[in-house]
Amino acid sequence: MEILTIEKTIEKALNQLGVQKVNEGTSTGLNFFGNGDLIESFSPVDGKLIGKVTTTTKEDFENVVTTAQSAFKTWRLKPAPQRGEIVRQFGEKLRELKQPLGELVSYEMGKSLQEGLGEVQEMIDICDFAVGLSRQLNGSTLHSERPGHRMYDQYHPLGIVGIISAFNFPVAVWAWNTALAWIAGDVCIWKASEKAPLCSIACQNIIADVLKENNLPEGISCIINGDYKVGEYMTTDKRIPLISATGSIRMGKIVAKTVAGRLGKSLLELGGNNAIIVTPDADIKMTVIGAVFGAVGTAGQRCTSTRRLIIHESMYDQVKDALVAAYKQLSIGNPLDENNHVGPLIDTAAVKMYKNALKKVVEEGGNLIVEGGVLSGEGYESGCYVKPAIAEAKNNFEIVQNETFAPVLYLLKYSGDVHNAIEIQNGVVQGLSSAIMTNNLREAEAFLSQAGSDCGIANVNIGTSGAEIGGAFGGEKETGGGRESGSDAWKVYMRRQTNTINYTTELPLAQGIKFDL
């Protein structure tokens, strides 16, 4: 796709989403509760300025919280199925605007158009899930030990949910949280990544239209803009009982400590160091497809990206050769061109991190079998395009133990049975996603057993990335322990209450305690 076509495509998308296009670098004048400095959003695709957004000051934040608190008083009284109807309408708007929003995600973040459209589809899917869930916020009926008593538990909304999202999924992660929070009766304040602020404004425009059409208060959905200092407004605020934060382990530890210090709740979705185990019974073709997409999809900038490939020594050379051949077929370039497999990294800081990782793995004794490198010249003017790399390494290398948010895949060799491979896989501090490639039932079940993968996600014969919204998403250890999206993840957005009803004229006490007057 030529640059001229890109500009026309994005200008049309921005207009459809109600986001003004920058003209010759001037400010859009967009002001969503922001009177602070400007954030400039540059596309990693071509390095061009897309727009400028005003940041949120402390005074602005106070106005946002007040607006959200007022909206909560109205929203929590809506029956859950009626809240679900609003989410259904939001999902329908997303269906109408899937193409332009997917294009904006691709252009502002840098992921392929197919992945951008897929991210919007995740938003649509979670809306559908939430609509059904709005009629299933079930409690339990319990048997009381006291005659003539009934017990049950039920769930109530928390209040304001603060959402901090990362650049790599600039719209979907917000939707995972907010769709469930809304049907739970909560209102939301969202601080999107300062690296992709226009995506958040586009989403806010869409839900704002739905709220307006239904005569509902705007404070049900709020956004704030800025860097980590703006995020601190939320993490330190006692009026926000739950903070859902997606990002690095370093960031998550700060958020967890801050929120715990005020006895708030936090839902953390942090880094991954995900591995695929390849056993002697693996299907090589499936293994290569799963590993390559996992390693290079979103240019290696997914928390579920495949970082490590743990291969049995009997299969090692065969798998290695197949991967090298597959990497030669990768097309790198403009992500809006669907002929390309790999787009850019988010910015030049990410490129520096990528280069440092390649240097570090060699210094520690690794061997680059697909060397990588930074691309330059026509089509790569932004300086954010890199070649996916493969390195032979060992699991105890410092660089392998840490997450590198770039398309760098480490090949690790194991011998013996599958339990040795599982030990290597579990030998990192992160615990998000994992996979095993095998046609051996015993190996698959061992991987899924209590002594198997210690990750929140464990897959058999699929890769580490590409989770469906029906399952709870999240990980263990330093990935944070949070769960978003499907299953019973809705419970984190609500407070549990136990109720006991006495329908007799007596007042017996629990545990047989006697207290006569």
Side-chain angles (χ1 to χ4, degrees), residues 108-128:
E108 188 171 33
M109 184 268 152
K111 63 176 60 176
S112 74
L113 179 58
Q114 280 300 307
E115 291 182 85
L117 294 172
E119 186 169 345
V120 181
Q121 186 61 49
E122 284 191 57
M123 301 175 75
I124 295 167
D125 292 344
I126 195 63
C127 286
D128 289 349

Side-chain angles (χ1 to χ4, degrees), residues 396-506:
N396 62 356
F397 286 3
E398 181 182 1
I399 190 62
V400 177
Q401 287 286 309
N402 291 284
E403 179 184 44
T404 299
F405 231 50
V408 180
L409 178 65
Y410 302 113
L411 303 190
L412 313 174
K413 186 185 295 185
Y414 83 95
S415 58
D417 65 19
V418 71
H419 297 285
N420 294 334
I422 293 171
E423 185 177 356
I424 294 170
Q425 183 218 272
N426 293 345
V428 293
V429 298
Q430 308 86 352
L432 180 53
S433 187
S434 58
I436 188 170
M437 292 293 183
T438 182
N439 289 318
N440 184 310
L441 178 63
R442 289 178 176 174
E443 289 179 336
E445 289 297 330
F447 178 72
L448 300 175
S449 73
Q450 293 91 333
S453 170
D454 63 4
C455 296
I457 299 169
N459 300 325
V460 176
N461 289 330
I462 62 173
T464 60
S465 61
E468 299 180 30
I469 60 92
F473 182 89
E476 299 303 317
K477 300 191 293 189
E478 291 193 8
T479 299
R483 292 297 185 275
E484 298 170 329
S485 192
S487 186
D488 65 348
W490 61 271
K491 291 180 179 179
V492 76
Y493 304 95
M494 305 193 79
R495 58 181 177 89
R496 183 194 296 252
Q497 184 181 78
T498 301
N499 308 115
T500 306
I501 300 171
N502 178 1
Y503 55 89
T504 74
T505 58
E506 303 295 327

Side-chain angles (χ1 to χ4, degrees), residues 7 187 274 406 440 500:
E7 291 182 348
V187 298
N274 317 295
N440 184 310
T500 306

Side-chain angles (χ1 to χ4, degrees), residues 87 90-92 94-95 97-98 101-102 105 116-130 169-176 178-179 182 190 199 202-204 206 469:
V87 174
F90 178 56
E92 289 301 306
L94 290 172
R95 283 181 169 87
L97 295 167
K98 179 178 176 179
L101 184 54
V105 168
L117 294 172
E119 186 169 345
V120 181
Q121 186 61 49
E122 284 191 57
M123 301 175 75
I124 295 167
D125 292 344
I126 195 63
C127 286
D128 289 349
F129 181 88
F169 279 83
V171 296
V173 171
W174 167 72
W176 290 356
T178 202
W182 284 337
W190 177 24
C199 285
C203 291
Q204 180 69 6
I206 297 169
I469 60 92

Side-chain angles (χ1 to χ4, degrees), residues 221-366:
S221 179
C222 302
I223 62 173
I224 55 177
N225 300 307
D227 59 14
Y228 72 94
K229 295 178 182 178
V230 174
E232 288 176 351
Y233 296 158
M234 291 201 299
T235 58
T236 57
D237 197 313
K238 292 182 179 181
R239 296 169 294 181
I240 304 177
L242 172 65
I243 298 292
S244 176
T246 302
S248 68
I249 291 173
R250 182 193 62 80
M251 180 274 286
K253 288 181 177 179
I254 295 170
V255 169
K257 182 178 180 180
T258 302
V259 176
R262 59 177 177 84
L263 297 181
K265 296 171 64 177
S266 57
L267 190 170
L268 301 175
E269 170 48 53
L270 309 176
N273 196 346
N274 317 295
I276 299 176
I277 295 171
V278 186
T279 80
D281 286 313
D283 182 309
I284 297 295
K285 182 178 179 181
M286 289 177 60
T287 296
V288 171
I289 294 172
V292 173
F293 176 74
V296 308
T298 322
Q301 296 173 115
R302 292 185 177 216
C303 53
T304 55
S305 290
T306 304
R307 310 289 178 199
R308 298 174 296 146
L309 208 58
I310 305 168
I311 310 166
H312 192 269
E313 59 185 1
S314 66
M315 304 278 286
Y316 187 84
D317 289 337
Q318 186 179 359
V319 173
K320 179 177 73 171
D321 292 344
L323 285 169
V324 171
Y327 269 51
K328 290 178 180 178
Q329 300 176 47
L330 293 175
S331 179
I332 307 167
N334 168 24
L336 291 167
D337 183 343
E338 296 187 51
N339 293 315
N340 291 323
H341 302 100
V342 184
L345 293 176
I346 185 64
D347 54 25
T348 54
V351 173
K352 182 178 179 181
M353 178 180 61
Y354 158 86
K355 292 167 64 178
N356 287 341
L358 297 184
K359 180 181 178 182
K360 179 71 172 177
V361 72
V362 172
E363 289 176 348
E364 292 193 69

